[in-house]
Amino acid sequence: MVQLYNLHPFGSQRVVPCKQEPAHFCCGQDVLFVASTAASCRVDVFTVREQGRCEALGSFATLGPVLRMAHSSADYLVTIEEKSKATFLRAYTNWRCMSAGSSRVCVRMVGHKMEESYSEALKEQMSVVEMPLSDPPLCISCCPVKGDLLVGCKNKLVIFCLKYRVINQNLTVLDFERSLILHIDNLIPAEVAFCARHIAITTELDVLILKLELVQQSADRTEQCAQEVSASEKAMDGGVKDESPSTHPLQLELDEFIICQKPMELLGEESKLCGIPVALESTELPTEDTKHFQVQYLLFRRFAPDQSPFGFCEETKLHSVQLLPVYQTGIPATVYEETENKRRLLSLFCFFSLPHVGYLYSLGKLVELISTYQYSEKSEQAVLTPQFLHVITSQNLQCFTVRCSAAAARSEDPYIDTTVKACPPVTLDVCTLRMQLFIGPRAICHFKNHIILLTKADTEDITERRKPTRRMLSRKADHIKSRTNSESEPGWNLYIINTVSTIQLYREMVEYSRTYENVKTESCIHLLSEAHLLVRAAIMDPHFLESDEKEDLLRAFRESCAFLGDCYSRFDTKDYHLALPYYRMSGLSMTEVLKRLVSEGDEIQTYERGFIFYLTHSLTEDSNEELSKESGNKVLQILYLADPVQLPDILCSPSMRNICPLTAVKYLQKVEKMMPSVVLTLTKAFFALKMGDLAMYEHEMHSYKETTLACGFVGQPRLLQQRKEGIVTPTEFAVHLKEMQPGLLVAATVALHENSKIELEEADTFFKLLCNSSENTIPQLLVDFWEALLVVSSQKKILQELLLRVTSQYVWRISKKQLPETKPLKTTEDLINSCGHFGLIVPWIASIMSVGCSSDKDYHEDISRLQSLLCSQSLDVASALPVLEPLREAGSVGLSVRALCSARLGRHEEALEQLLRRSPGAAVLYAQHELKGDTQALWWNKLLPELCKRTRLTGNDCPVLISSLKETLSIVAMELELRDFLSLLPEDGTAAFFLPHLLHCSQRKLLT
């Protein structure tokens, strides 16, 4: 549906001082090219100044009448000309030298190698590049991104790549290279469009859009053979190839009939089924840098002649195919003059039109129809811009809005359509801003803020025009001499119509929207959305950063967001949630929004869902803005009536710091009568602390068990911690709990972590700030949190990190002989009983520690926790070795730690060596506990020989070694055969010492 508004997008109007009737014209940058009718064979060039003032720059002759012409962003003019019933393709470069008075012209063939001496003259003369073709050229298009040229011929398209030929240090000339031919059978293009390797082709009733994709091929391939990317041979009617009417066997007999094919629309991959094969032929010289392409089908659409109910079959023809690029915001356009790769293409759109309907497609990751334009009468031509669609009919110049900026914005910014940012939808109904009356519009083109319009009136129109019945736009032209009688009424005019500035039209739209503010909600939102998209499109223009209106446009953009936020806050609409992102984009503070929407005084207002949605979301997020006491009380009153369940969340917001605690408690008590909860109780306790009412605080805290209270903090984490500039800081509640109920505080923080309300690093910062610890100091309360987290956490990804953290802290305290500043919440025994990551301490550890230093007893808790961790299977000992390094020489503690690490890593010989050297009694206990299964052989291969050796050296001076040897002999005698056992005994050993064990071994054999 197209809505109609009577706005004024068109401003002043001037007449181009043409001496002869224009046949074709085009424009670009700051110039206008006008090709006269058949008799003159000339092209006049005009420079367009501010406000559309037009001055003649020069003219040059053509080979013959111009049939088609186009201007490239690379500043060359390409034409299709006719001479002696033959058509020629020519490109005019360096044409600006005419303004300096030079009339010299150089004509050369495309790709012709120029001698340097001859080329020096090119600096001051226009060059005409002849581009011969095997078939007559029918239509042309220049790529606005790279400047390449596409030529449409019967059954094929030819691409000429733009080249910059460096003649010498001071001279670079434009040239072309025919690089690629697309062979398309049974296709006669009426119009083509070319942009960023996308090609749009129209015939009378068909539209085909293709994309040339780069493919990787072997670099040593010297010849590029024809690559054919054919569509599926299956037609849409069940596998039979589509037969063109021209190839039908009965065609000659049925000339009096019109054969109409079924309308169809194929998007994306489906468009391969259109039955139009495309073959690629590379014509450029192969080099290492040669690019190879394949064809991707994007869209095929076929219309029936009777598609429009307004006209006859022969009048239904497609026209005005265009590809419109939109570039990424913030990249200046001027840098393109240096290199074609500077501008980054963001989105691409394709427009084409039937006499009464226009279609706008987006060619992104998905190909989709985004707008359909219904014209009030038959259209002659249309031109698409990022802001508008201008259409000429037999009597009007019509201006429609477009949705290009809405689609491109979503491609550029992933945050659009979230609670952070918004943009009017692509599906928003388009509207007609203006229908300006003209007599006989014939052709139109557009550049910058100018519309070039050719009108040609019939004889009866001229007669009617002499009657002063209607005042048209001013048609005065500067410095134009009055024509003679024969010239005064030629029946044609070429106008330059200036579109008004974006800011001026935006303000008119905003003013117009106010007429619907209290009458028609949807129209008000629609007009403000159009105003927003108008400004957004101007900001996305490549020249935006250089624009004099830059600051005004940014201000208008924020203002439009504020207006839309007001609409979605005040009106009852299904899209009420958009109030939040629009207000955010406006840059308005919460206080400023409240002033816009909330009246002063105590009268009760009715507030719509959009405003309530904005308030609740703004207050439940972490913000540095603090509302005044009065504003906070007003917000509390509004939300108590609108959504009382949200009250605890709202009251805990950083923005509500200035709220009166007594007022907050009164509202909470009202809510508690309706819907009591643990979160509400904790919130009341929080405000009781703020008031200093400890009796009320105690009463509220004893209403639930401690475990329930800990879970209650998950429902409202901001009771314990708030974020300020991204840093988690403790509240007064947390400070109080630290002193009075540290166990509850730790349990609550663990619950917050397990429910993803606080990250591990944030918890570290929280406890350090709470305990006033420095960055490198670990408070005991944080260690208690880590230990409690080990008890309950099921997150494997943080398990090893936690184990390393507590290990590091235990090692630091033991090595530095530092006691914790507060008593740990759990003992080692508690941790062993409640946590699988703390294992039972093995018996041989007690033997080592029995001969330890007396000072170790002061750090018994940390030592036993560390040993318990090493006795479990959870800690990755290999990664913990660097952390344990400070205890390497720490007496009995160090020995126990090293032995435990060796045991966990399977280095039993190393562990036995350490124990035999420092604690022989523990060695046997170690062997009894650790040497089992595959490692049992270490009893007789390692332990027994070592004990014999050490006992021989010490004699009877070391009873511990002797008792350990006896214990080892008794165990080995039970495991080995007599012969094997005997072979292990030392030859110089005392027989009386070893005989009892030999007898025991032999008796065991007899018994078995």
Side-chain angles (χ1 to χ4, degrees):
M1 188 177 110
V2 179
Q3 301 198 33
L4 175 62
Y5 299 107
N6 189 24
L7 296 170
H8 301 85
F10 307 127
S12 61
Q13 170 185 317
R14 296 176 184 270
V15 175
V16 179
C18 298
K19 296 180 180 179
Q20 293 182 331
E21 180 180 345
H24 298 278
F25 58 91
C26 66
C27 48
Q29 296 185 5
D30 59 343
V31 291
L32 170 65
F33 298 90
V34 181
S36 304
T37 48
S40 66
C41 299
R42 296 195 67 81
V43 172
D44 296 313
V45 185
F46 301 90
T47 181
V48 182
R49 308 292 185 189
E50 293 182 2
Q51 301 300 320
R53 288 187 297 107
C54 204
E55 298 176 4
L57 188 63
S59 66
F60 53 87
T62 59
L63 189 65
V66 175
L67 304 180
R68 297 283 180 103
M69 64 190 304
H71 180 263
S72 168
S73 56
D75 209 19
Y76 67 83
L77 180 73
V78 62
T79 62
I80 298 177
E81 303 170 16
E82 185 178 31
K83 180 74 171 179
S84 302
K85 297 185 180 181
T87 53
F88 301 86
L89 181 66
R90 310 178 97 201
Y92 296 83
T93 68
N94 202 28
W95 51 266
R96 289 183 184 269
C97 65
M98 295 181 305
S99 61
S102 173
S103 59
R104 299 175 61 184
V105 178
C106 164
V107 181
R108 57 189 169 89
M109 295 293 289
V110 63
H112 174 70
K113 185 177 180 180
M114 293 163 285
E115 297 295 336
E116 186 168 345
S117 58
Y118 168 74
S119 306
E120 282 296 324
L122 291 175
K123 289 182 181 179
E124 298 178 358
Q125 66 183 15
M126 182 174 71
S127 291
V128 181
V129 183
E130 298 273 5
M131 290 178 273
L133 295 166
S134 58
D135 295 290
L138 303 176
C139 46
I140 49 177
S141 176
C142 300
C143 174
V145 177
K146 292 188 175 183
D148 296 340
L149 173 64
L150 176 70
V151 184
C153 306
K154 182 179 179 181
N155 296 334
K156 67 181 177 183
L157 305 174
V158 184
I159 296 176
F160 290 88
C161 284
L162 181 65
K163 301 291 182 181
Y164 293 87
R165 306 289 187 195
V166 179
I167 306 300
N168 55 46
Q169 183 178 348
N170 301 317
L171 180 61
T172 300
V173 298
L174 296 183
D175 199 3
F176 298 88
E177 179 181 7
R178 181 163 49 190
S179 60
L180 194 65
I181 299 176
L182 289 80
H183 296 278
I184 310 175
D185 293 340
N186 302 319
L187 184 82
I188 301 177
E191 290 182 342
V192 291
F194 188 35
C195 180
R197 299 205 301 268
H198 290 72
I199 298 172
I201 315 155
T202 60
T203 60
E204 287 191 355
L205 293 172
D206 292 351
V207 182
L208 177 63
I209 302 178
L210 309 170
K211 181 181 179 182
L212 297 175
E213 285 189 321
L214 280 172
V215 293
Q216 298 294 329
Q217 291 195 3
S218 175
D220 60 356
R221 187 172 178 180
T222 56
E223 291 188 5
Q224 169 69 25
C225 62
Q227 176 198 10
E228 186 164 311
V229 182
S230 61
S232 171
E233 294 184 357
K234 295 181 180 179
M236 293 301 293
D237 58 0
V240 181
K241 282 190 176 180
D242 236 358
E243 276 196 11
S244 172
S246 61
T247 60
H248 197 283
L250 299 178
Q251 182 66 35
L252 297 176
E253 300 177 14
L254 300 176
D255 286 339
E256 65 271 25
F257 294 99
I258 297 176
I259 299 176
C260 301
Q261 297 189 356
K262 184 179 180 181
M264 67 174 71
E265 180 186 41
L266 302 174
L267 303 178
E269 290 295 321
E270 287 187 356
S271 56
K272 290 181 179 179
L273 303 175
C274 64
I276 301 177
V278 179
L280 299 184
E281 178 189 353
S282 178
T283 56
E284 63 181 339
L285 293 174
T287 64
E288 291 182 359
D289 299 327
T290 299
K291 296 177 180 178
H292 304 282
F293 297 97
Q294 66 182 12
V295 171
Q296 178 187 359
Y297 289 77
L298 298 181
L299 179 144
F300 175 76
R301 184 151 187 180
R302 173 174 292 155
F303 297 93
D306 57 352
Q307 182 74 14
S308 170
F310 299 92
F312 298 104
C313 293
E314 58 269 17
E315 292 181 340
T316 307
K317 294 180 181 179
L318 288 162
H319 65 78
S320 304
V321 64
Q322 281 180 258
L323 289 173
L324 177 71
V326 175
Y327 302 98
Q328 186 168 3
T329 308
I331 298 179
T334 53
V335 296
Y336 169 67
E337 296 171 6
E338 300 174 9
T339 170
E340 62 193 26
N341 297 320
K342 291 286 186 178
R343 289 195 292 183
R344 182 177 172 187
L345 186 66
L346 181 64
S347 299
L348 191 63
F349 301 91
C350 182
F351 174 82
F352 50 85
S353 183
L354 289 169
H356 289 88
V357 189
Y359 301 91
L360 179 60
Y361 282 83
S362 172
L363 307 179
K365 293 180 180 178
L366 294 176
V367 178
E368 55 184 342
L369 176 66
I370 59 174
S371 298
T372 301
Y373 296 88
Q374 299 285 343
Y375 311 137
S376 58
E377 55 187 7
K378 180 186 173 185
S379 63
E380 301 289 338
Q381 194 179 350
V383 60
L384 177 69
T385 77
Q387 289 182 310
F388 304 110
L389 173 69
H390 300 291
V391 180
I392 54 172
T393 65
S394 58
Q395 297 182 13
N396 286 294
L397 168 61
Q398 300 182 7
C399 178
F400 295 87
T401 57
V402 295
R403 299 290 166 260
C404 298
S405 60
R410 286 168 169 81
S411 300
E412 183 179 37
D413 194 341
Y415 288 102
I416 288 180
D417 297 327
T418 67
T419 57
V420 180
K421 294 182 182 179
C423 180
V426 176
T427 55
L428 183 71
D429 288 342
V430 295
C431 69
T432 306
L433 297 182
R434 187 76 178 175
M435 297 176 66
Q436 184 68 51
L437 183 63
F438 276 91
I439 297 177
R442 290 293 185 267
I444 185 174
C445 72
H446 171 275
F447 77 107
K448 292 184 179 178
N449 62 328
H450 308 295
I451 297 170
I452 315 300
L453 179 65
L454 174 64
T455 63
K456 186 175 181 181
D458 296 331
T459 305
E460 60 271 20
D461 293 331
I462 297 173
T463 305
E464 189 67 25
R465 188 176 59 181
R466 290 173 179 168
K467 300 176 183 179
T469 58
R470 182 184 298 270
R471 182 170 182 173
M472 306 293 292
L473 291 172
S474 172
R475 293 176 45 203
K476 293 181 180 179
D478 292 345
H479 310 294
I480 300 178
K481 295 181 180 179
S482 58
R483 296 187 178 108
T484 61
N485 289 338
S486 60
E487 297 175 333
S488 60
E489 296 293 352
W492 59 266
N493 268 311
L494 188 62
Y495 294 101
I496 293 185
I497 304 168
N498 300 305
T499 56
V500 300
S501 70
T502 300
I503 295 297
Q504 182 179 336
L505 184 57
Y506 161 77
R507 287 173 181 159
E508 185 183 4
M509 285 180 166
V510 171
E511 190 63 33
Y512 200 150
S513 71
R514 288 176 181 149
T515 61
Y516 296 105
E517 199 167 21
N518 299 316
V519 182
K520 201 173 181 183
T521 302
E522 291 303 321
S523 292
C524 182
I525 294 177
H526 187 240
L527 257 175
L528 287 173
S529 297
E530 293 287 7
H532 176 86
L533 289 176
L534 179 73
V535 176
R536 188 183 279 274
I539 291 175
M540 298 184 83
D541 188 277
H543 298 87
F544 166 68
L545 293 178
E546 307 153 18
S547 170
D548 295 335
E549 292 186 328
K550 176 183 174 182
E551 294 302 322
D552 291 337
L553 287 171
L554 291 174
R555 194 178 301 111
F557 179 80
R558 291 190 292 268
E559 185 184 67
S560 70
C561 292
F563 287 145
L564 284 168
D566 291 344
C567 286
Y568 288 112
S569 294
R570 289 182 175 137
F571 302 149
D572 183 17
T573 68
K574 62 181 178 64
D575 296 322
Y576 64 90
H577 61 278
L578 293 175
L580 177 63
Y582 276 122
Y583 274 139
R584 280 180 170 163
M585 294 163 63
S586 72
L588 292 176
S589 66
M590 209 181 319
T591 302
E592 291 169 327
V593 172
L594 287 170
K595 287 180 181 178
R596 296 169 75 96
L597 300 177
V598 179
S599 62
E600 296 182 1
D602 296 330
E603 68 272 12
I604 297 177
Q605 288 181 255
T606 301
Y607 299 99
E608 297 296 343
R609 292 177 296 170
F611 180 52
I612 303 303
F613 184 84
Y614 164 75
L615 274 184
T616 53
H617 277 74
S618 298
L619 290 169
T620 51
E621 293 173 359
D622 298 303
S623 171
N624 294 327
E625 180 187 0
E626 294 185 12
L627 297 176
S628 65
K629 182 178 179 180
E630 294 74 19
S631 297
N633 289 340
K634 190 68 178 178
V635 167
L636 199 56
Q637 178 188 351
I638 293 170
L639 293 178
Y640 169 71
L641 297 173
D643 194 1
V645 179
Q646 297 286 343
L647 231 53
D649 287 347
I650 302 307
L651 287 169
C652 293
S653 169
S655 301
M656 301 287 280
R657 287 191 184 99
N658 299 321
I659 190 75
C660 173
L662 184 59
T663 304
V665 170
K666 288 180 179 178
Y667 277 106
L668 288 170
Q669 288 171 341
K670 292 179 182 179
V671 177
E672 191 175 34
K673 292 178 182 178
M674 297 183 288
M675 48 192 90
S677 69
V678 63
V679 175
L680 201 143
T681 298
L682 288 170
T683 309
K684 286 173 65 181
F686 176 57
F687 280 97
L689 273 180
K690 281 194 168 188
M691 292 190 297
D693 190 344
L694 295 179
M696 180 182 173
Y697 170 82
E698 294 292 339
H699 175 266
E700 298 297 337
M701 294 300 286
H702 285 95
S703 301
Y704 294 92
K705 294 181 180 179
E706 194 168 283
T707 52
T708 306
L709 292 174
C711 295
F713 285 109
V714 176
Q716 188 43 257
R718 290 195 291 193
L719 288 168
L720 291 180
Q721 46 95 9
Q722 293 187 347
R723 296 176 189 271
K724 192 170 184 180
E725 296 179 356
I727 299 175
V728 174
T729 57
T731 62
E732 303 98 311
F733 205 166
V735 173
H736 184 79
L737 289 177
K738 173 208 163 204
E739 300 297 333
M740 307 304 297
Q741 293 175 280
L744 174 58
L745 177 62
V746 169
T749 312
V750 168
L752 290 176
H753 180 273
E754 289 301 288
N755 286 276
S756 303
K757 301 291 185 180
I758 189 172
E759 298 295 330
L760 192 58
E761 297 298 331
E762 292 174 337
D764 292 353
T765 304
F766 171 77
F767 280 110
K768 286 179 181 179
L769 290 173
L770 187 64
C771 300
N772 296 318
S773 301
S774 64
E775 182 66 27
N776 298 322
T777 305
I778 306 298
Q780 175 57 39
L781 209 56
L782 178 54
V783 179
D784 290 328
F785 166 71
W786 290 341
E787 291 172 346
L789 203 54
L790 281 172
V791 173
V792 301
S793 181
S794 58
Q795 301 180 34
K796 293 182 179 180
K797 63 180 180 179
I798 68 165
L799 177 60
Q800 286 303 317
E801 184 178 356
L802 284 173
L803 289 169
L804 286 174
R805 286 186 181 196
V806 294
T807 301
S808 176
Q809 186 60 17
Y810 298 152
V811 169
W812 184 83
R813 285 181 184 168
I814 297 167
S815 62
K816 300 295 183 181
K817 299 190 181 300
Q818 292 281 340
L819 292 172
E821 71 275 10
T822 59
K823 184 180 178 181
L825 296 178
K826 289 182 181 291
T827 64
T828 305
E829 187 177 353
D830 294 335
L831 291 172
I832 292 172
N833 292 333
S834 61
C835 180
H837 305 304
F838 289 84
L840 285 170
I841 299 176
V842 291
W844 54 270
I845 291 293
S847 175
I848 296 174
M849 298 305 297
S850 63
V851 295
C853 178
S854 59
S855 63
D856 291 344
K857 295 179 181 179
D858 297 333
Y859 312 100
H860 172 71
E861 274 297 315
D862 285 332
I863 293 170
S864 59
R865 287 170 197 251
L866 178 59
Q867 292 169 343
S868 176
L869 275 179
L870 293 171
C871 288
S872 75
Q873 298 299 313
S874 299
L875 179 65
D876 183 359
V877 173
S879 61
L881 286 176
V883 176
L884 298 167
E885 188 63 29
L887 298 180
R888 188 172 185 84
E889 304 299 331
S892 300
V893 178
L895 176 62
S896 66
V897 168
R898 291 200 306 275
L900 280 169
C901 289
S902 298
R904 285 284 310 280
L905 295 171
R907 302 171 185 170
H908 296 293
E909 291 189 41
E910 184 181 309
L912 287 171
E913 190 70 35
Q914 295 167 355
L915 293 174
L916 286 170
R917 187 170 63 252
R918 300 276 300 277
S919 182
V924 177
L925 292 174
Y926 175 91
Q928 289 175 339
H929 191 270
E930 304 290 344
L931 303 183
K932 298 173 183 177
D934 294 340
T935 61
Q936 192 176 26
L938 289 174
W939 275 101
W940 48 88
N941 291 335
K942 176 67 178 178
L943 186 58
L944 181 56
E946 283 292 329
L947 285 171
C948 289
K949 176 183 174 183
R950 292 172 188 272
T951 305
R952 182 188 301 113
L953 293 174
T954 59
N956 296 326
D957 296 335
C958 188
V960 175
L961 279 174
I962 294 173
S963 62
S964 297
L965 179 57
K966 287 180 179 180
E967 182 69 24
T968 303
L969 286 169
S970 62
I971 292 174
V972 173
M974 293 292 292
E975 298 296 332
L976 295 181
E977 297 293 333
L978 181 60
R979 185 187 298 273
D980 296 332
F981 180 57
L982 184 60
S983 66
L984 293 174
L985 301 180
E987 294 180 358
D988 58 346
T990 305
F993 182 83
F994 292 102
L995 189 56
H997 299 288
L998 285 168
L999 289 172
H1000 181 68
C1001 182
S1002 62
Q1003 289 171 356
R1004 178 182 61 82
K1005 182 65 177 174
L1006 290 172
L1007 290 173
T1008 56

